[in-house]
Amino acid sequence: MLSEELKQLQLEGDVDDSPATLQKYSTDASIFYVAPAAVVFPKNTQDIKKLVTFTAKQKKTGRNISLTARAAGTDMSGGPLTESIVVEFTKYCNHLLELGDDSAVVEPGMYYRDFEKQTLTKNLIMPAYPSSRELCAIGGMVQNNCAGEKTYRYGKIERYVESLHMIMADGNEYEFSKLTKDQLGDKMAQQNFEGQLYRDIFKLINDNYDALQQAKPNVTKNSAGYYLWNVYDKKAGTFDLAKLMVGSQGTLGLMTKAKLKLIEPQKASRLLIVFMNDVALISKLSGIILPFKPESFETYDNKTFDLAIKYFPEILHRIHVGFAKIMLKTFPELWMVMTGGIPKLVLLAEFTGQTQQEVEQSAHEAKEAIHKAMGSKVKVRITKNHEEADEFWTIRRESFNLLRKHTVGMRTAPFIDDFSVRVEKLPEFLPKLYKVLGHYSIIYTIAGHAGDGNFHIIPLMDLTKPVSKDIIKNLSREVFDLVLEFGGTIDSEHNDGIVRTPYVRQMFGERIYDLFIDVKHIFDPLNMFNPGKKVGGTLEYAQAHINTRPVEKIESKKQAS
């Protein structure tokens, strides 16, 4: 039995194959259910090395086992799900190892909420956190190349990863960071696994350099495929394999620690809110607002706004504000709804700076520019304090949870949840998107990052019904076809996982997809790290593992865990 064999490795951590544990680790935040054979909770690097060495030895005998890293399990793509061995990092490998003046070294199992509490003691943050910041952990953030509400100004987490330590296929730990030409030469001269790895990857990238640069998605955010175009900077003469590891979803090795760059947060903020009834105006509004350099530029739709009105007391509870007080502050929005109906889209532009005067000036200048260009076509207001801003941010951040929690007999089904097209293409793209969605009788909300043209569509479905699988397959194909027709990416920040890996070939074409396969083989010749993600995944496998259990069982299981 696999668990008994793992226990014989004499790991300092734990091995668990109890029914409750296997059930807990059979799901994440995706639509899938995949039951593992065992869950291992490594306590240190030596435990991970033993696991890799054992797995490699078994793979060489033809045995079908593998290792899949898991941190907080908030992934929406099925990335940490496996039928073999889950390697869980949050139980033990969850420490902040170093905190400097502009960077931190952290283990993959540390929750971001705990990480930020520590960095703020030095007035520092890592700004590329996702909306699941209270639930996610560093390992998943790095391996998915996460992004969030501050990404428009600060970029994705790839910008903040200075180095990564990984256990590779030979069972040894290596550090990956930016190398000069001479340092790269030294690495390539080594007659060992690391040297061979650098030689093979350099040749692959150098031989296909122009094709890879052309393959880079023409959007501001992407988590699809392997980031081969980011590794070799010919002009600067640098070579950085950490750029390839970021977003690789645990398919190239097991991460043991990351060094992350930190910045000082802005001291003051002010939120500008735009209510619009014509979605075609979003591109023009973006052109007006973005020159004023907001830190965040987010959006959510009328269905999300409707949820917020329906469950308004819960919103109040989450931001810890009394009913009478918030009623006075939100009267303009309530009056707008009563007189003109719920807006089609709400835009949130947050201006930040070192002084309150500075941010208020930016917000008011942006407001005046909107009025001058748009007149009465949109309604605009500026919040007066953090409490008012929190009301709107809570609606944006909590719509997914509100939808999941309050709909009986159905569950949230993220499968078209993470695409991007360029902002200037939105006026033509969005009507076509709504037309596609209109062909299906589904409930859904739309929220996203307007500054990046990145939208999250979350349908609500009864996955116990056979027709749901057909809807998922057909609607995915139609939406992804449309996104690619407009030169976008099917995956901006949630990664490929089980749900989008079957479409990676379509997005990048045969030549680039074959290079992705080569990358996987160079790093992981035995295919033992999270197989079926990024490359090799099929639509048939995804369809076969859609979670068709009744919602009641899902919720009781989550509560028990």
Side-chain angles (χ1 to χ4, degrees), residues 169-218:
D170 66 342
N172 292 315
E173 183 178 33
Y174 300 100
E175 180 180 6
F176 296 98
S177 61
K178 184 182 293 186
L179 303 178
T180 65
K181 184 177 180 180
D182 289 342
Q183 290 170 327
L184 173 62
D186 291 341
K187 290 285 188 184
M188 293 173 63
Q190 296 174 184
Q191 298 304 307
N192 56 15
F193 178 87
E194 185 182 24
Q196 188 65 52
L197 189 155
Y198 272 98
R199 289 192 293 274
D200 289 347
I201 289 294
F202 178 79
K203 185 177 189 311
L204 183 149
I205 293 174
N206 194 50
D207 288 353
N208 299 278
Y209 186 85
D210 291 339
L212 288 171
Q213 295 305 311
Q214 292 173 8
K216 183 177 182 179
N218 186 26

Side-chain angles (χ1 to χ4, degrees), residues 112-129:
Y112 178 79
R113 61 178 183 257
D114 299 325
F115 176 73
E116 188 179 87
K117 286 177 185 176
Q118 293 293 315
T119 63
L120 283 174
T121 62
K122 285 198 170 185
N123 191 36
L124 297 168
I125 62 166
M126 195 291 296
Y129 54 78

Side-chain angles (χ1 to χ4, degrees), residues 283-338:
S283 181
K284 186 173 182 180
L285 279 165
S286 298
I288 296 169
I289 296 171
L290 293 180
F292 293 95
K293 299 182 179 179
E295 182 173 275
S296 305
F297 193 41
E298 302 289 287
T299 185
Y300 53 82
D301 70 345
N302 55 332
K303 295 181 178 66
T304 306
F305 200 97
D306 185 55
L307 271 177
I309 293 174
K310 190 173 182 179
Y311 302 113
F312 196 61
E314 190 166 335
I315 295 288
L316 302 184
H317 176 72
R318 289 172 186 264
I319 60 178
H320 309 292
V321 176
F323 184 78
K325 187 175 183 180
I326 202 69
M327 284 294 287
L328 289 173
K329 293 181 179 299
T330 59
F331 182 77
E333 286 75 52
L334 296 173
W335 179 252
M336 176 194 66
V337 170
M338 289 187 288

Side-chain angles (χ1 to χ4, degrees), residues 39 73 80 89 94 97 115 194 201 237 243 271 297 354 381 398 408 439 474 489 502 510 518 526 532 538 561:
V39 181
F89 285 89
N94 55 17
L97 303 176
F115 176 73
E194 185 182 24
I201 289 294
K243 298 294 185 186
L271 187 65
F297 193 41
Q354 291 300 307
R381 76 169 281 217
E398 295 294 332
V408 179
H439 293 158
N474 296 331
T489 176
E510 292 291 338
D518 291 342
L526 297 174
T538 66
S561 65

Side-chain angles (χ1 to χ4, degrees), residues 49-326:
K49 288 182 177 180
K50 288 180 180 180
L51 280 173
V52 172
T53 301
F54 166 79
T55 304
K57 184 177 179 180
Q58 297 300 311
K59 291 287 285 188
K60 289 175 182 176
T61 68
R63 192 174 180 186
N64 186 24
I65 66 172
S66 60
L67 301 170
T68 293
R70 180 176 176 126
T74 58
D75 188 276
M76 297 171 74
S77 74
L81 303 182
T82 178
E83 296 177 64
S84 193
I85 304 168
V86 171
V87 185
E88 208 276 3
F89 285 89
T90 61
K91 186 173 183 179
Y92 296 121
C93 301
N94 55 17
H95 301 97
L96 181 65
L97 303 176
E98 298 176 24
L99 180 57
D101 293 333
D102 61 359
S103 65
V105 179
V106 58
E107 291 180 322
M110 189 173 198
Y111 285 94
Y112 178 79
R113 61 178 183 257
D114 299 325
F115 176 73
E116 188 179 87
K117 286 177 185 176
Q118 293 293 315
T119 63
L120 283 174
T121 62
K122 285 198 170 185
N123 191 36
L124 297 168
I125 62 166
M126 195 291 296
Y129 54 78
S131 60
S132 60
R133 53 178 291 163
E134 297 300 316
L135 303 173
C136 64
I138 298 296
M141 293 169 65
V142 171
Q143 289 296 314
N144 282 329
N145 194 13
C146 76
E149 61 200 39
K150 295 184 183 296
T151 298
Y152 176 73
R153 176 181 291 186
Y154 294 111
K156 301 185 70 176
I157 200 171
E158 61 186 291
R159 187 181 296 184
Y160 300 92
V161 175
E162 296 189 341
S163 68
L164 293 175
H165 281 70
M166 309 275 295
I167 307 294
M168 307 308 291
D170 66 342
N172 292 315
E173 183 178 33
Y174 300 100
E175 180 180 6
F176 296 98
S177 61
K178 184 182 293 186
L179 303 178
T180 65
K181 184 177 180 180
D182 289 342
Q183 290 170 327
L184 173 62
D186 291 341
K187 290 285 188 184
M188 293 173 63
Q190 296 174 184
Q191 298 304 307
N192 56 15
F193 178 87
E194 185 182 24
Q196 188 65 52
L197 189 155
Y198 272 98
R199 289 192 293 274
D200 289 347
I201 289 294
F202 178 79
K203 185 177 189 311
L204 183 149
I205 293 174
N206 194 50
D207 288 353
N208 299 278
Y209 186 85
D210 291 339
L212 288 171
Q213 295 305 311
Q214 292 173 8
K216 183 177 182 179
N218 186 26
V219 289
T220 56
K221 294 195 303 187
N222 174 67
S223 280
Y226 289 119
Y227 311 145
L228 287 167
W229 42 81
N230 286 349
V231 176
Y232 184 24
D233 186 334
K234 279 190 173 183
K235 186 175 180 180
T238 59
F239 195 83
D240 188 357
L241 282 184
K243 298 294 185 186
L244 180 59
M245 301 297 182
V246 174
S248 61
Q249 213 164 27
T251 61
L252 304 181
L254 294 178
M255 184 178 120
T256 56
K257 58 185 175 181
K259 183 178 182 181
L260 301 177
K261 180 182 177 181
L262 305 175
I263 66 168
E264 289 187 13
Q266 299 290 348
K267 295 178 181 178
S269 68
R270 191 60 82 229
L271 187 65
L272 179 144
I273 308 152
V274 183
F275 305 93
M276 50 194 289
N277 284 314
D278 183 357
V279 296
L281 297 176
I282 190 171
S283 181
K284 186 173 182 180
L285 279 165
S286 298
I288 296 169
I289 296 171
L290 293 180
F292 293 95
K293 299 182 179 179
E295 182 173 275
S296 305
F297 193 41
E298 302 289 287
T299 185
Y300 53 82
D301 70 345
N302 55 332
K303 295 181 178 66
T304 306
F305 200 97
D306 185 55
L307 271 177
I309 293 174
K310 190 173 182 179
Y311 302 113
F312 196 61
E314 190 166 335
I315 295 288
L316 302 184
H317 176 72
R318 289 172 186 264
I319 60 178
H320 309 292
V321 176
F323 184 78
K325 187 175 183 180
I326 202 69

Side-chain angles (χ1 to χ4, degrees), residues 311-500:
Y311 302 113
F312 196 61
E314 190 166 335
I315 295 288
L316 302 184
H317 176 72
R318 289 172 186 264
I319 60 178
H320 309 292
V321 176
F323 184 78
K325 187 175 183 180
I326 202 69
M327 284 294 287
L328 289 173
K329 293 181 179 299
T330 59
F331 182 77
E333 286 75 52
L334 296 173
W335 179 252
M336 176 194 66
V337 170
M338 289 187 288
T339 57
I342 295 174
K344 288 287 194 301
L345 279 180
V346 178
L347 293 178
L348 308 178
E350 184 175 42
F351 296 91
T352 63
Q354 291 300 307
T355 67
Q356 203 61 47
Q357 181 181 2
E358 173 189 351
V359 297
E360 288 182 2
Q361 180 177 344
S362 296
H364 282 283
E365 287 178 354
K367 181 180 179 180
E368 289 303 313
I370 294 170
H371 280 314
K372 184 176 180 180
M374 311 291 287
S376 60
K377 292 181 181 178
V378 297
K379 296 182 184 296
V380 187
R381 76 169 281 217
I382 298 171
T383 58
K384 295 182 175 62
N385 51 48
H386 288 295
E387 288 179 352
E388 290 185 45
D390 283 347
E391 170 204 347
F392 291 94
W393 279 125
T394 302
I395 294 171
R396 167 65 182 88
R397 292 165 181 159
E398 295 294 332
S399 59
F400 180 83
N401 288 330
L402 285 171
L403 192 64
R404 175 182 58 81
K405 182 177 178 181
H406 289 288
T407 307
V408 179
M410 294 192 285
R411 61 169 299 181
T412 47
F415 60 94
I416 47 171
D417 53 292
D418 192 35
F419 56 82
S420 289
V421 298
R422 294 193 66 83
V423 173
E424 59 268 24
K425 297 183 179 182
L426 291 178
E428 184 181 358
F429 172 81
L430 286 176
K432 292 186 177 182
L433 173 65
Y434 281 115
K435 184 177 180 180
V436 169
L437 293 170
H439 293 158
Y440 297 86
S441 298
I442 56 173
I443 302 169
Y444 62 89
T445 62
I446 298 180
H449 313 285
D452 298 294
N454 175 205
F455 291 88
H456 305 307
I457 301 179
I458 309 293
L460 206 68
M461 303 175 70
D462 182 354
L463 297 183
T464 65
K465 294 181 178 180
V467 69
S468 294
K469 288 189 176 183
D470 291 333
I471 291 174
I472 290 170
K473 179 174 68 174
N474 296 331
L475 183 53
S476 294
R477 185 188 69 250
E478 290 188 56
V479 170
F480 294 157
D481 285 350
L482 181 65
V483 168
L484 296 178
E485 176 189 331
F486 277 80
T489 176
I490 62 175
D491 174 20
S492 301
E493 55 191 23
H494 295 169
N495 221 285
D496 298 317
I498 296 172
V499 73
R500 278 176 290 272

